[in-house]
Amino acid sequence: MLTLTSGAVQVIKTVTANPELPPETGIRIESGVDGSDALRLSVAPAPEAGDQVVEEEGARVYLEAEAAQLLDGKTLDAQVDPQGDVAFTIAEGDTGA
């Protein structure tokens, strides 16, 4: 299963904290967009049918079935640069963060 670093938890909670969004809003990760191996990240109001749900400290990640297989055993991290842009990264295994 995908694990989240504390940085990813904080960024996801910040991104989904808008009071106009449903309380179960999370980040959804999809694979195979347009036939490529790229992953697409988006804000989702709830998981879709068949999604695997990863929740840690109130941060929710919804993984489309194929993305869940690709990310099994990996760690999601996130950082915000000085301009406020968010960068998500995926690392092999548990980073211990």
Side-chain angles (χ1 to χ4, degrees):
M1 178 177 282
L2 179 72
T3 57
L4 309 178
T5 66
S6 58
V9 168
Q10 291 307 313
V11 169
I12 292 166
K13 287 169 68 172
T14 299
V15 168
T16 60
N18 185 331
E20 296 178 15
L21 296 173
E24 56 278 346
T25 297
I27 298 294
R28 186 164 194 267
I29 302 176
E30 299 174 82
S31 66
V33 178
D34 297 328
S36 74
D37 290 336
L39 295 173
R40 181 172 69 181
L41 229 105
S42 60
V43 175
E48 294 185 14
D51 281 359
Q52 182 182 96
V53 178
V54 176
E55 184 170 356
E56 194 166 319
E57 298 176 35
R60 292 177 192 83
V61 177
Y62 305 129
L63 300 169
E64 172 262 338
E66 191 173 324
Q69 285 184 320
L70 289 170
L71 298 175
D72 187 37
K74 297 195 173 23
T75 300
L76 180 69
D77 191 15
Q79 296 186 353
V80 180
D81 69 18
Q83 291 75 37
D85 294 324
V86 175
F88 284 94
T89 56
I90 296 168
E92 292 292 328
D94 184 1
T95 64

